[in-house]
Each structure stands twice: as C-alpha cells, then as structure tokens.
Amino acid sequence: MALLYGLLWRLLLLLVHVNTALVSWLRVRLRSWKGRLWERAVAALLLPVALAGFPDQHKKLNHNPDATANPVTGNRDDGRRARWLSDGKALEKLPVHVGLLVAEEEPSYSDVANLVVWCMAVGISYVSVYDNHGIFRKNNSRLLEEILRQQNLLGVDGSKYSIEFLSNGSDKHNVVSCRPTVKVLSPEDGKQSIVQAAQQICRSVENKERSSKDISVSMLDVLLRESKNIPDPDLVLKFGPVNSTLGFLPWHIRLTEFIERWYCPTSLWFR
Amino acid sequence: MSWIKEGDLNLLEKISANVLKAGPMPKHVAFIMDGNRRFARKKNMERQEGHMQGFNKLAETLRWCKHLNIPEVTVYAFSIENFKRTKEEVDGLMELAKQKFERLLEERDNLEKHGVCIRVLGDLNMLPLDLQELIAKAVVTTRAHNKCFLNVCFAYTSRYEITNAVREMAWGVEQGLIKASDVSESLLSECLYSNNSPNPDLLIRTSGEVRLSDFLLWQTSHSCLVFQSVLWPEYSFWNLCEAILQYQLNHKSIQKARELHQEHQALQQLEADRACVAEHLQHHGNGKPADAQRRQEALLHYTACREDRVQDFLEALKHKRNSFFSDLCSKPVLA
C-alpha cells in the first residue's frame, strides 16, 4: 500500500512540474498576443499556478508601441526614458527600496543588471541584489560592469543616472541622497548583523555603560542602521524556484511585500 | 466552541493525506490566520463573529494537522500592532481570548488524552492581568504534554521578540553567567520565545496578503513561504494540501540552503572562539608565541568552558520563564 502511495506521490509531483513548464512555455508564446482575454482563458484552464504580475510590468516597459519613433536615435532614447519615467509617475505609489532576491543556482548577471537599470529608470531610488551564496558580493565588479553595459544598451545616459554602487563596508551617509543606489547584499547583512549589534549592546552592559532594562526595539533598530543604513525594503522580487527568503535581511522585511515568479495568488495574475 | 475537533477525514481526504505523506512532511507549520474581518464583511456579519469563525477554523486545522502527522503548529493570533485597532475591537478580542482559554482549562482532560502542549509566545505583560493568569494556567497545565504542540503568538511581534532575546542575553551578562563574546546566532535563537520549538518548515499566510507582518522573521529565514488568497475562515483541507505540496516541491533546495547556512554558522563560531583564545594567550602568555598544539588545547578548553557557561545561562533563563508562569498561577483568579 505504501508503495502505491509513493508512486501516486511521484506522479503528482510530475504533473505539477509538467504544468509549470507548460505555463512557462505558453507565457513566452502569449507575450506576442495582445488579447488579455485569451490569457485569462488559458490560465483558467490550467491548474492555479499563476505567475507574478511583475513580468507584465516590464513587458509594458519593453514592448510599448513606440509613439515617438524617430529615425534619430537620441530622440528615441529620450522618448523611451521619458516614457519610463512617466510610467513610474503614473503609478500611485513607487517603492523606495526594491530588493531582488535571486534564488537560482547560476544567476544571470545580465538579467539582474537589466532589472536594476529598469528599476532606476522607473524612478526607484534604492535597489538591492541578494543571493544566499554571496555570489554577487564576491563578483560585485562583474555586476557593476554589467549594469553599466545595460545602461548604455538601453540608452540610459550614465552621467544622468549615476548609480552609487555599494558592496562591502559601511554606508554611513544619509539614505536620502539624490543618486539612485544599488547595494549588493549577502547573508552576513541579515542575522550576522543583528548578532553583531547584540554583541555591541552586551559589551556596553559588560562595561557597565548600560543596563539590560534600557534595551528597546528602537535602540536595536538605530544600532543596526548605524553601520549599514539599509532602508526597509518595500517590495522584494523573488527569482528562482525556491519559495523562501533564504536569510534575506530578517529584521528589515517586517512589512515587505513579496512577489514570486512561480507561485503567487491568482488575483495578482489578473491585475 | 472547542479547541479540539474530533473526527476522521473522509475517504478522499484520507487518500490524499496518504499520498502526501509518501513525501517529506513538514514537522512544524506556522499560520498567519488573516481574513477574519474581510470574511465578516463578505457574509454581512459582525466583526466579532468573523473572529469566532476564525477560531473554529483553527480548531479544524489542528485536526487536519493531526491526521497529517504534523506535530507542531504556531499561529499568529494577536500582534502588538493590533493594539492600535479600536478599543471596541481590542476589548472584543481580549474577551474572546479569555473565553477560549477558560474553555481550554475546562477541556484539560481531553488535552491530556491527546497530549497537547499549549505555549503562548509574546510580551504577555501587555495583556490584562486576568488574561495573563488564564494563559499561565493553560501553559502550566499542559506543560508536560508532548504528543503535539500548539504555539499561540499573542501580543507578539518578531522585532519585540528579537529585542527581548538581546535583553535576556544582556541580563545574563549582568548576572555574570555569560560574557559578551558568547553572544552568537545560536545563543540568540535559544533566547527567543520559541526556543522550545524547531524552526517552522512551512509558513502559510491566508487572505492574499504577501507580507510577513513581523511574524517569526528570525525563525522563518529558511522556511517555505506559501501565500494563499483564501480567507482564513474559508480555509479548507485542500488549501492545506496545496501548501504542503509546495513545501515538498521546495524541500530539497531549502534543505541545501539551510545546511549551507549551518556550515557558515559553525565556521563563524569556530573563528570567534579562535579569536578569543588568541587574545587570551597574548595576555596570559609568557611572551613566546604558543605552538600549534598548545593553541589547539586552549581552543578545545575554551570551547568547552563557553558551552558550560551557555548551558548554565540557559538553565537560569528557563527557570526565570517558568517562574513567571508559576507566579501568575499562584495568584487567586479574579472572579
């Protein structure tokens, strides 16, 4: 009997994988279709494995009918930039900090760089990139190169949108800076940072500079932001098949909204 | 209505449960039971009724978990942020909680039969005293049970919990039980309200919101997160199965990530110990650099001492927490 259930379980998993692959494949095909009605019909037929609304958003940015199409490239780039900015302004609320959580075994530098540049272009001022192996932190120069390359490709003028690239070390300056910021994060910025702050507090208690009764949430919060002033992410976009935060900034994600590429409430799909 | 719902699964549910159990099953599931108020609006009932239905759904979910062999469940019943709601609603929720805990004490024989251990996690001193006393009685009465565990987060937020853990460690330093250098990720975990439980394998949030809302932020860093759009009072056995299926699909990769993190943690602890030993040898050495063997011996000795210190501290902390509940129990219950 146990054997039968085991087989049924494997069959169930196989069906889910096939369904996911099918939906992915169809999405690529459906991108060229303008009919939302068709997409809804297909989605309704398949199992409720919805995909994130975000790809719809950057589909809009990518495939906008070029109203200002002009043989002169410069004007077209300006037009595209202006459109991106107006797309951003058309949204009721723009997140201040968007986190890109890359839960893939072999992340694509060009895809991530693309996203970073799009976020900046729409008007998001702080973008962080995270993976739980610390790959981006180890190769941050490669990521920076890729971001600069994408900026050029997409016609976004580097000098106008100069990005502040922060990898290691402290960023003690004010978060409210005019320049968009890209920060590379790794697991050390999560629990490790909280532990370091805790150690600092305990050392001051050991030195009789402070009592345990003085310790409050705001004290810990201020201490955490002293060395690494990372604003709380408003939105996190998760890439890769893993449904977990994988250690991403536990203290900061108190009210963060998570958009997953693979599984997400069907209501978001229909938005 | 009762905390424990008796009754078996129907045939289809039984078969589905057996199929799921052929794969890896979560040992600890956490629920953010969101959607009671929206449900009440949808059905044109009072908010309070929505919360009542929410509680009934909790009892039913516990029954399903029992049949699925999930021994531990944690639920987010009341956040510290919820104190900001209208006085009417907050008082209503406190009253509901009092009724439920009184009912729980009436059912203590049934709880013993099923071996249910109830724990309440949060900054309980924020609650009215009579509710605190009821909670303490429920916790003390079921403390020895060990078949299944229900953790109710009441007057809880994760940031308060982490801050409290830091405060406890600082208290340990004040008492001379531990040193500041003993503070580590694993020690902080042991000082959280949830220290008696393993980290949740699966976190489910209903009603379509895709936030964690300050719930178990530390403990769920490597858990499977499932966001479902169904409202909590409308949660079904099939919704639970869907969530467990997601857990099973993510199981291997999350396991890998967890192991990577644990390796990293162990390495960090070793480096921290080495640094302390190096400092110690420098101060107490006779000027000559210590040889590798002496360093290794010193390291082993230091690690053993640190572990003993930490054990004593954790014992003292456990005693402090147990006393908090026992003291509340010994107070006469207000009529």
PDB file of all heavy atoms in Angstrom, chain A residues 9 191-192 199 206 212 215 241-244 246-247 251 254 257-258, chain B residues 159 167 174 180 183 210-211 213-214 218 221 223 225 246 248 250 268:
ATOM      1  N   TRP A   9       2.417   9.720  -5.310  1.00  0.00           N
ATOM      2  CA  TRP A   9       3.050  10.983  -4.925  1.00  0.00           C
ATOM      3  C   TRP A   9       4.010  11.460  -6.004  1.00  0.00           C
ATOM      4  O   TRP A   9       4.014  12.629  -6.389  1.00  0.00           O
ATOM      5  CB  TRP A   9       3.769  10.823  -3.577  1.00  0.00           C
ATOM      6  CG  TRP A   9       4.461  12.065  -3.124  1.00  0.00           C
ATOM      7  CD1 TRP A   9       3.882  13.185  -2.652  1.00  0.00           C
ATOM      8  CD2 TRP A   9       5.872  12.318  -3.126  1.00  0.00           C
ATOM      9  NE1 TRP A   9       4.826  14.133  -2.339  1.00  0.00           N
ATOM     10  CE2 TRP A   9       6.058  13.624  -2.617  1.00  0.00           C
ATOM     11  CE3 TRP A   9       7.000  11.571  -3.484  1.00  0.00           C
ATOM     12  CZ2 TRP A   9       7.318  14.198  -2.470  1.00  0.00           C
ATOM     13  CZ3 TRP A   9       8.243  12.148  -3.334  1.00  0.00           C
ATOM     14  CH2 TRP A   9       8.403  13.446  -2.835  1.00  0.00           C
ATOM     15  N   LYS A 191      21.141  37.940   9.685  1.00  0.00           N
ATOM     16  CA  LYS A 191      21.260  37.548  11.094  1.00  0.00           C
ATOM     17  C   LYS A 191      22.594  37.978  11.687  1.00  0.00           C
ATOM     18  O   LYS A 191      22.665  38.397  12.853  1.00  0.00           O
ATOM     19  CB  LYS A 191      21.099  36.036  11.229  1.00  0.00           C
ATOM     20  CG  LYS A 191      19.675  35.563  11.035  1.00  0.00           C
ATOM     21  CD  LYS A 191      19.550  34.080  11.311  1.00  0.00           C
ATOM     22  CE  LYS A 191      18.099  33.663  11.218  1.00  0.00           C
ATOM     23  NZ  LYS A 191      17.905  32.223  11.375  1.00  0.00           N
ATOM     24  N   GLN A 192      23.675  37.863  10.903  1.00  0.00           N
ATOM     25  CA  GLN A 192      25.006  38.248  11.386  1.00  0.00           C
ATOM     26  C   GLN A 192      25.031  39.670  11.930  1.00  0.00           C
ATOM     27  O   GLN A 192      25.584  39.934  12.997  1.00  0.00           O
ATOM     28  CB  GLN A 192      26.015  38.180  10.225  1.00  0.00           C
ATOM     29  CG  GLN A 192      26.935  37.008  10.245  1.00  0.00           C
ATOM     30  CD  GLN A 192      27.832  36.983  11.451  1.00  0.00           C
ATOM     31  OE1 GLN A 192      27.484  36.393  12.451  1.00  0.00           O
ATOM     32  NE2 GLN A 192      28.963  37.630  11.379  1.00  0.00           N
ATOM     33  N   GLN A 199      25.964  41.916  20.237  1.00  0.00           N
ATOM     34  CA  GLN A 199      27.258  41.823  20.926  1.00  0.00           C
ATOM     35  C   GLN A 199      27.704  43.187  21.420  1.00  0.00           C
ATOM     36  O   GLN A 199      28.205  43.327  22.547  1.00  0.00           O
ATOM     37  CB  GLN A 199      28.321  41.275  19.977  1.00  0.00           C
ATOM     38  CG  GLN A 199      28.516  39.798  20.087  1.00  0.00           C
ATOM     39  CD  GLN A 199      29.476  39.250  19.074  1.00  0.00           C
ATOM     40  OE1 GLN A 199      29.846  39.913  18.113  1.00  0.00           O
ATOM     41  NE2 GLN A 199      29.880  38.015  19.284  1.00  0.00           N
ATOM     42  N   GLU A 206      28.442  44.867  29.765  1.00  0.00           N
ATOM     43  CA  GLU A 206      29.587  44.285  30.491  1.00  0.00           C
ATOM     44  C   GLU A 206      30.446  45.390  31.100  1.00  0.00           C
ATOM     45  O   GLU A 206      30.963  45.260  32.218  1.00  0.00           O
ATOM     46  CB  GLU A 206      30.435  43.471  29.509  1.00  0.00           C
ATOM     47  CG  GLU A 206      31.149  42.278  30.123  1.00  0.00           C
ATOM     48  CD  GLU A 206      31.683  41.328  29.059  1.00  0.00           C
ATOM     49  OE1 GLU A 206      32.193  41.819  28.026  1.00  0.00           O
ATOM     50  OE2 GLU A 206      31.593  40.106  29.256  1.00  0.00           O
ATOM     51  N   SER A 212      20.524  46.202  31.194  1.00  0.00           N
ATOM     52  CA  SER A 212      19.717  45.374  30.281  1.00  0.00           C
ATOM     53  C   SER A 212      18.300  45.932  30.168  1.00  0.00           C
ATOM     54  O   SER A 212      17.637  45.759  29.150  1.00  0.00           O
ATOM     55  CB  SER A 212      19.686  43.921  30.770  1.00  0.00           C
ATOM     56  OG  SER A 212      19.009  43.838  31.999  1.00  0.00           O
ATOM     57  N   ILE A 215      17.340  48.296  27.130  1.00  0.00           N
ATOM     58  CA  ILE A 215      17.319  47.819  25.751  1.00  0.00           C
ATOM     59  C   ILE A 215      15.900  47.823  25.196  1.00  0.00           C
ATOM     60  O   ILE A 215      14.995  47.212  25.760  1.00  0.00           O
ATOM     61  CB  ILE A 215      17.925  46.402  25.657  1.00  0.00           C
ATOM     62  CG1 ILE A 215      19.370  46.429  26.155  1.00  0.00           C
ATOM     63  CG2 ILE A 215      17.888  45.885  24.230  1.00  0.00           C
ATOM     64  CD1 ILE A 215      19.955  45.065  26.369  1.00  0.00           C
ATOM     65  N   PRO A 241      13.204  29.095  -8.372  1.00  0.00           N
ATOM     66  CA  PRO A 241      12.097  28.228  -7.968  1.00  0.00           C
ATOM     67  C   PRO A 241      11.935  28.062  -6.466  1.00  0.00           C
ATOM     68  O   PRO A 241      11.045  27.364  -6.017  1.00  0.00           O
ATOM     69  CB  PRO A 241      12.477  26.883  -8.603  1.00  0.00           C
ATOM     70  CG  PRO A 241      13.962  26.912  -8.687  1.00  0.00           C
ATOM     71  CD  PRO A 241      14.369  28.332  -8.865  1.00  0.00           C
ATOM     72  N   VAL A 242      12.773  28.701  -5.651  1.00  0.00           N
ATOM     73  CA  VAL A 242      12.712  28.448  -4.214  1.00  0.00           C
ATOM     74  C   VAL A 242      11.804  29.451  -3.511  1.00  0.00           C
ATOM     75  O   VAL A 242      12.007  30.654  -3.600  1.00  0.00           O
ATOM     76  CB  VAL A 242      14.129  28.519  -3.585  1.00  0.00           C
ATOM     77  CG1 VAL A 242      14.074  28.063  -2.158  1.00  0.00           C
ATOM     78  CG2 VAL A 242      15.095  27.682  -4.381  1.00  0.00           C
ATOM     79  N   ASN A 243      10.801  28.947  -2.778  1.00  0.00           N
ATOM     80  CA  ASN A 243       9.841  29.811  -2.070  1.00  0.00           C
ATOM     81  C   ASN A 243      10.312  30.094  -0.659  1.00  0.00           C
ATOM     82  O   ASN A 243       9.733  29.623   0.312  1.00  0.00           O
ATOM     83  CB  ASN A 243       8.481  29.125  -2.010  1.00  0.00           C
ATOM     84  CG  ASN A 243       7.735  29.255  -3.305  1.00  0.00           C
ATOM     85  OD1 ASN A 243       8.267  29.774  -4.278  1.00  0.00           O
ATOM     86  ND2 ASN A 243       6.514  28.776  -3.334  1.00  0.00           N
ATOM     87  N   SER A 244      11.394  30.877  -0.535  1.00  0.00           N
ATOM     88  CA  SER A 244      11.907  31.182   0.799  1.00  0.00           C
ATOM     89  C   SER A 244      12.696  32.472   0.722  1.00  0.00           C
ATOM     90  O   SER A 244      13.184  32.843  -0.329  1.00  0.00           O
ATOM     91  CB  SER A 244      12.796  30.042   1.271  1.00  0.00           C
ATOM     92  OG  SER A 244      13.450  30.388   2.466  1.00  0.00           O
ATOM     93  N   LEU A 246      15.473  32.838   2.259  1.00  0.00           N
ATOM     94  CA  LEU A 246      16.870  32.391   2.291  1.00  0.00           C
ATOM     95  C   LEU A 246      17.779  33.342   3.065  1.00  0.00           C
ATOM     96  O   LEU A 246      18.909  33.607   2.651  1.00  0.00           O
ATOM     97  CB  LEU A 246      17.395  32.189   0.854  1.00  0.00           C
ATOM     98  CG  LEU A 246      16.645  31.136   0.030  1.00  0.00           C
ATOM     99  CD1 LEU A 246      17.187  31.093  -1.383  1.00  0.00           C
ATOM    100  CD2 LEU A 246      16.759  29.769   0.671  1.00  0.00           C
ATOM    101  N   GLY A 247      17.283  33.832   4.185  1.00  0.00           N
ATOM    102  CA  GLY A 247      18.130  34.631   5.052  1.00  0.00           C
ATOM    103  C   GLY A 247      18.222  36.101   4.694  1.00  0.00           C
ATOM    104  O   GLY A 247      19.076  36.809   5.232  1.00  0.00           O
ATOM    105  N   TRP A 251      15.472  41.326   9.893  1.00  0.00           N
ATOM    106  CA  TRP A 251      14.928  42.443  10.686  1.00  0.00           C
ATOM    107  C   TRP A 251      14.154  43.420   9.820  1.00  0.00           C
ATOM    108  O   TRP A 251      13.127  43.961  10.219  1.00  0.00           O
ATOM    109  CB  TRP A 251      16.101  43.170  11.384  1.00  0.00           C
ATOM    110  CG  TRP A 251      15.699  44.336  12.217  1.00  0.00           C
ATOM    111  CD1 TRP A 251      15.592  45.644  11.815  1.00  0.00           C
ATOM    112  CD2 TRP A 251      15.359  44.326  13.604  1.00  0.00           C
ATOM    113  NE1 TRP A 251      15.209  46.443  12.860  1.00  0.00           N
ATOM    114  CE2 TRP A 251      15.067  45.662  13.981  1.00  0.00           C
ATOM    115  CE3 TRP A 251      15.277  43.325  14.576  1.00  0.00           C
ATOM    116  CZ2 TRP A 251      14.698  46.019  15.285  1.00  0.00           C
ATOM    117  CZ3 TRP A 251      14.917  43.682  15.869  1.00  0.00           C
ATOM    118  CH2 TRP A 251      14.624  45.015  16.206  1.00  0.00           C
ATOM    119  N   ARG A 254       9.984  43.233   7.799  1.00  0.00           N
ATOM    120  CA  ARG A 254       8.774  43.195   8.622  1.00  0.00           C
ATOM    121  C   ARG A 254       7.505  43.401   7.811  1.00  0.00           C
ATOM    122  O   ARG A 254       6.518  42.688   7.961  1.00  0.00           O
ATOM    123  CB  ARG A 254       8.931  44.297   9.669  1.00  0.00           C
ATOM    124  CG  ARG A 254       7.842  44.503  10.630  1.00  0.00           C
ATOM    125  CD  ARG A 254       8.296  45.491  11.676  1.00  0.00           C
ATOM    126  NE  ARG A 254       8.290  46.841  11.156  1.00  0.00           N
ATOM    127  CZ  ARG A 254       7.366  47.743  11.476  1.00  0.00           C
ATOM    128  NH1 ARG A 254       6.396  47.431  12.275  1.00  0.00           N
ATOM    129  NH2 ARG A 254       7.447  48.950  10.970  1.00  0.00           N
ATOM    130  N   GLU A 257       6.525  43.437   0.888  1.00  0.00           N
ATOM    131  CA  GLU A 257       5.651  42.622   0.036  1.00  0.00           C
ATOM    132  C   GLU A 257       6.534  41.754  -0.863  1.00  0.00           C
ATOM    133  O   GLU A 257       7.516  42.228  -1.421  1.00  0.00           O
ATOM    134  CB  GLU A 257       4.787  43.519  -0.841  1.00  0.00           C
ATOM    135  CG  GLU A 257       4.046  44.592  -0.073  1.00  0.00           C
ATOM    136  CD  GLU A 257       2.552  44.324   0.020  1.00  0.00           C
ATOM    137  OE1 GLU A 257       2.013  43.659  -0.874  1.00  0.00           O
ATOM    138  OE2 GLU A 257       1.942  44.777   0.988  1.00  0.00           O
ATOM    139  N   PHE A 258       6.159  40.470  -0.980  1.00  0.00           N
ATOM    140  CA  PHE A 258       6.956  39.535  -1.768  1.00  0.00           C
ATOM    141  C   PHE A 258       6.232  39.155  -3.041  1.00  0.00           C
ATOM    142  O   PHE A 258       5.108  38.674  -2.996  1.00  0.00           O
ATOM    143  CB  PHE A 258       7.231  38.256  -0.958  1.00  0.00           C
ATOM    144  CG  PHE A 258       8.165  38.492   0.184  1.00  0.00           C
ATOM    145  CD1 PHE A 258       7.687  38.855   1.427  1.00  0.00           C
ATOM    146  CD2 PHE A 258       9.535  38.384   0.012  1.00  0.00           C
ATOM    147  CE1 PHE A 258       8.558  39.096   2.483  1.00  0.00           C
ATOM    148  CE2 PHE A 258      10.413  38.614   1.056  1.00  0.00           C
ATOM    149  CZ  PHE A 258       9.923  38.981   2.294  1.00  0.00           C
TER     150      PHE A 258
ATOM    151  N   ARG B 159      10.122  41.716  16.029  1.00  0.00           N
ATOM    152  CA  ARG B 159      11.157  42.657  16.478  1.00  0.00           C
ATOM    153  C   ARG B 159      11.183  42.743  18.005  1.00  0.00           C
ATOM    154  O   ARG B 159      12.250  42.817  18.606  1.00  0.00           O
ATOM    155  CB  ARG B 159      10.910  44.043  15.875  1.00  0.00           C
ATOM    156  CG  ARG B 159      11.345  44.117  14.423  1.00  0.00           C
ATOM    157  CD  ARG B 159      11.365  45.532  13.913  1.00  0.00           C
ATOM    158  NE  ARG B 159      11.762  45.582  12.510  1.00  0.00           N
ATOM    159  CZ  ARG B 159      11.884  46.708  11.815  1.00  0.00           C
ATOM    160  NH1 ARG B 159      11.629  47.864  12.368  1.00  0.00           N
ATOM    161  NH2 ARG B 159      12.251  46.663  10.545  1.00  0.00           N
ATOM    162  N   ARG B 167      17.873  41.380  25.259  1.00  0.00           N
ATOM    163  CA  ARG B 167      17.759  41.814  26.658  1.00  0.00           C
ATOM    164  C   ARG B 167      18.099  40.683  27.613  1.00  0.00           C
ATOM    165  O   ARG B 167      18.791  40.866  28.610  1.00  0.00           O
ATOM    166  CB  ARG B 167      16.340  42.312  26.931  1.00  0.00           C
ATOM    167  CG  ARG B 167      16.246  43.371  28.024  1.00  0.00           C
ATOM    168  CD  ARG B 167      14.837  43.834  28.266  1.00  0.00           C
ATOM    169  NE  ARG B 167      14.314  44.627  27.175  1.00  0.00           N
ATOM    170  CZ  ARG B 167      13.191  44.363  26.509  1.00  0.00           C
ATOM    171  NH1 ARG B 167      12.467  43.307  26.802  1.00  0.00           N
ATOM    172  NH2 ARG B 167      12.787  45.153  25.542  1.00  0.00           N
ATOM    173  N   GLU B 174      24.938  40.679  32.829  1.00  0.00           N
ATOM    174  CA  GLU B 174      24.847  41.404  34.110  1.00  0.00           C
ATOM    175  C   GLU B 174      25.001  40.464  35.300  1.00  0.00           C
ATOM    176  O   GLU B 174      25.625  40.799  36.300  1.00  0.00           O
ATOM    177  CB  GLU B 174      23.481  42.096  34.213  1.00  0.00           C
ATOM    178  CG  GLU B 174      23.487  43.518  33.751  1.00  0.00           C
ATOM    179  CD  GLU B 174      22.101  44.119  33.664  1.00  0.00           C
ATOM    180  OE1 GLU B 174      21.105  43.423  33.949  1.00  0.00           O
ATOM    181  OE2 GLU B 174      22.012  45.291  33.289  1.00  0.00           O
ATOM    182  N   ALA B 180      30.063  38.803  26.973  1.00  0.00           N
ATOM    183  CA  ALA B 180      29.550  39.415  25.738  1.00  0.00           C
ATOM    184  C   ALA B 180      30.049  38.655  24.513  1.00  0.00           C
ATOM    185  O   ALA B 180      29.351  38.550  23.504  1.00  0.00           O
ATOM    186  CB  ALA B 180      29.971  40.873  25.657  1.00  0.00           C
ATOM    187  N   VAL B 183      27.928  35.835  22.849  1.00  0.00           N
ATOM    188  CA  VAL B 183      26.739  36.126  22.038  1.00  0.00           C
ATOM    189  C   VAL B 183      26.963  35.628  20.616  1.00  0.00           C
ATOM    190  O   VAL B 183      27.942  35.961  19.966  1.00  0.00           O
ATOM    191  CB  VAL B 183      26.457  37.646  22.033  1.00  0.00           C
ATOM    192  CG1 VAL B 183      25.413  38.002  20.992  1.00  0.00           C
ATOM    193  CG2 VAL B 183      25.997  38.086  23.405  1.00  0.00           C
ATOM    194  N   VAL B 210       0.774  39.459   0.895  1.00  0.00           N
ATOM    195  CA  VAL B 210       2.066  38.814   0.665  1.00  0.00           C
ATOM    196  C   VAL B 210       3.166  39.399   1.546  1.00  0.00           C
ATOM    197  O   VAL B 210       4.295  39.632   1.104  1.00  0.00           O
ATOM    198  CB  VAL B 210       2.460  38.873  -0.837  1.00  0.00           C
ATOM    199  CG1 VAL B 210       1.571  37.966  -1.647  1.00  0.00           C
ATOM    200  CG2 VAL B 210       2.371  40.288  -1.377  1.00  0.00           C
ATOM    201  N   ARG B 211       2.809  39.662   2.807  1.00  0.00           N
ATOM    202  CA  ARG B 211       3.762  40.190   3.781  1.00  0.00           C
ATOM    203  C   ARG B 211       3.927  39.221   4.936  1.00  0.00           C
ATOM    204  O   ARG B 211       3.070  38.391   5.175  1.00  0.00           O
ATOM    205  CB  ARG B 211       3.212  41.483   4.398  1.00  0.00           C
ATOM    206  CG  ARG B 211       2.972  42.621   3.490  1.00  0.00           C
ATOM    207  CD  ARG B 211       2.542  43.823   4.324  1.00  0.00           C
ATOM    208  NE  ARG B 211       1.256  43.617   4.945  1.00  0.00           N
ATOM    209  CZ  ARG B 211       0.086  43.962   4.405  1.00  0.00           C
ATOM    210  NH1 ARG B 211       0.041  44.480   3.208  1.00  0.00           N
ATOM    211  NH2 ARG B 211      -1.047  43.755   5.066  1.00  0.00           N
ATOM    212  N   SER B 213       4.432  40.596   8.043  1.00  0.00           N
ATOM    213  CA  SER B 213       3.844  41.370   9.149  1.00  0.00           C
ATOM    214  C   SER B 213       4.490  41.106  10.496  1.00  0.00           C
ATOM    215  O   SER B 213       3.822  40.905  11.509  1.00  0.00           O
ATOM    216  CB  SER B 213       2.331  41.084   9.252  1.00  0.00           C
ATOM    217  OG  SER B 213       1.684  41.528   8.108  1.00  0.00           O
ATOM    218  N   ASP B 214       5.827  41.095  10.528  1.00  0.00           N
ATOM    219  CA  ASP B 214       6.539  40.988  11.808  1.00  0.00           C
ATOM    220  C   ASP B 214       6.252  39.671  12.525  1.00  0.00           C
ATOM    221  O   ASP B 214       6.153  39.661  13.764  1.00  0.00           O
ATOM    222  CB  ASP B 214       6.131  42.171  12.717  1.00  0.00           C
ATOM    223  CG  ASP B 214       7.326  42.792  13.419  1.00  0.00           C
ATOM    224  OD1 ASP B 214       8.366  42.097  13.545  1.00  0.00           O
ATOM    225  OD2 ASP B 214       7.233  43.947  13.872  1.00  0.00           O
ATOM    226  N   TRP B 218      12.938  35.881  12.299  1.00  0.00           N
ATOM    227  CA  TRP B 218      14.212  35.183  12.538  1.00  0.00           C
ATOM    228  C   TRP B 218      14.069  33.697  12.216  1.00  0.00           C
ATOM    229  O   TRP B 218      14.901  33.105  11.541  1.00  0.00           O
ATOM    230  CB  TRP B 218      14.616  35.389  14.003  1.00  0.00           C
ATOM    231  CG  TRP B 218      15.898  34.745  14.397  1.00  0.00           C
ATOM    232  CD1 TRP B 218      16.097  33.437  14.737  1.00  0.00           C
ATOM    233  CD2 TRP B 218      17.179  35.380  14.522  1.00  0.00           C
ATOM    234  NE1 TRP B 218      17.413  33.222  15.046  1.00  0.00           N
ATOM    235  CE2 TRP B 218      18.095  34.390  14.936  1.00  0.00           C
ATOM    236  CE3 TRP B 218      17.645  36.681  14.310  1.00  0.00           C
ATOM    237  CZ2 TRP B 218      19.452  34.666  15.149  1.00  0.00           C
ATOM    238  CZ3 TRP B 218      18.983  36.955  14.534  1.00  0.00           C
ATOM    239  CH2 TRP B 218      19.866  35.946  14.949  1.00  0.00           C
ATOM    240  N   SER B 221      13.675  32.270   8.347  1.00  0.00           N
ATOM    241  CA  SER B 221      14.622  32.708   7.314  1.00  0.00           C
ATOM    242  C   SER B 221      14.856  31.620   6.271  1.00  0.00           C
ATOM    243  O   SER B 221      15.179  31.904   5.127  1.00  0.00           O
ATOM    244  CB  SER B 221      15.960  33.113   7.940  1.00  0.00           C
ATOM    245  OG  SER B 221      16.531  31.998   8.590  1.00  0.00           O
ATOM    246  N   SER B 223      12.501  28.962   5.766  1.00  0.00           N
ATOM    247  CA  SER B 223      11.263  28.174   5.711  1.00  0.00           C
ATOM    248  C   SER B 223      10.633  28.354   4.348  1.00  0.00           C
ATOM    249  O   SER B 223      10.894  29.347   3.665  1.00  0.00           O
ATOM    250  CB  SER B 223      10.278  28.661   6.757  1.00  0.00           C
ATOM    251  OG  SER B 223      10.859  28.655   8.026  1.00  0.00           O
ATOM    252  N   LEU B 225       7.735  29.578   2.199  1.00  0.00           N
ATOM    253  CA  LEU B 225       6.655  30.552   2.376  1.00  0.00           C
ATOM    254  C   LEU B 225       5.568  30.298   1.343  1.00  0.00           C
ATOM    255  O   LEU B 225       5.851  30.209   0.155  1.00  0.00           O
ATOM    256  CB  LEU B 225       7.180  31.974   2.155  1.00  0.00           C
ATOM    257  CG  LEU B 225       8.301  32.494   3.038  1.00  0.00           C
ATOM    258  CD1 LEU B 225       8.618  33.929   2.675  1.00  0.00           C
ATOM    259  CD2 LEU B 225       7.919  32.408   4.499  1.00  0.00           C
ATOM    260  N   GLN B 246       3.566  22.439  -2.037  1.00  0.00           N
ATOM    261  CA  GLN B 246       4.587  23.457  -2.310  1.00  0.00           C
ATOM    262  C   GLN B 246       5.827  23.215  -1.465  1.00  0.00           C
ATOM    263  O   GLN B 246       6.963  23.336  -1.949  1.00  0.00           O
ATOM    264  CB  GLN B 246       4.030  24.838  -1.944  1.00  0.00           C
ATOM    265  CG  GLN B 246       2.959  25.308  -2.851  1.00  0.00           C
ATOM    266  CD  GLN B 246       3.364  26.576  -3.553  1.00  0.00           C
ATOM    267  OE1 GLN B 246       4.553  26.888  -3.632  1.00  0.00           O
ATOM    268  NE2 GLN B 246       2.390  27.302  -4.051  1.00  0.00           N
ATOM    269  N   GLN B 248       6.823  20.389  -0.354  1.00  0.00           N
ATOM    270  CA  GLN B 248       7.516  19.214  -0.869  1.00  0.00           C
ATOM    271  C   GLN B 248       8.314  19.540  -2.129  1.00  0.00           C
ATOM    272  O   GLN B 248       9.408  19.018  -2.335  1.00  0.00           O
ATOM    273  CB  GLN B 248       6.509  18.095  -1.136  1.00  0.00           C
ATOM    274  CG  GLN B 248       5.899  17.585   0.160  1.00  0.00           C
ATOM    275  CD  GLN B 248       4.861  16.508  -0.028  1.00  0.00           C
ATOM    276  OE1 GLN B 248       4.172  16.474  -1.044  1.00  0.00           O
ATOM    277  NE2 GLN B 248       4.732  15.639   0.956  1.00  0.00           N
ATOM    278  N   ASN B 250       9.705  22.362  -2.756  1.00  0.00           N
ATOM    279  CA  ASN B 250      10.851  23.200  -2.388  1.00  0.00           C
ATOM    280  C   ASN B 250      11.814  22.520  -1.434  1.00  0.00           C
ATOM    281  O   ASN B 250      12.864  23.071  -1.120  1.00  0.00           O
ATOM    282  CB  ASN B 250      10.340  24.465  -1.681  1.00  0.00           C
ATOM    283  CG  ASN B 250       9.851  25.499  -2.651  1.00  0.00           C
ATOM    284  OD1 ASN B 250      10.613  26.297  -3.149  1.00  0.00           O
ATOM    285  ND2 ASN B 250       8.570  25.467  -2.943  1.00  0.00           N
ATOM    286  N   GLN B 268      31.766  30.386  11.699  1.00  0.00           N
ATOM    287  CA  GLN B 268      31.839  31.677  12.372  1.00  0.00           C
ATOM    288  C   GLN B 268      32.107  31.492  13.865  1.00  0.00           C
ATOM    289  O   GLN B 268      32.894  32.231  14.464  1.00  0.00           O
ATOM    290  CB  GLN B 268      30.542  32.453  12.203  1.00  0.00           C
ATOM    291  CG  GLN B 268      30.717  33.658  11.343  1.00  0.00           C
ATOM    292  CD  GLN B 268      29.472  34.027  10.582  1.00  0.00           C
ATOM    293  OE1 GLN B 268      28.395  33.510  10.827  1.00  0.00           O
ATOM    294  NE2 GLN B 268      29.605  34.925   9.663  1.00  0.00           N
TER     295      GLN B 268
END
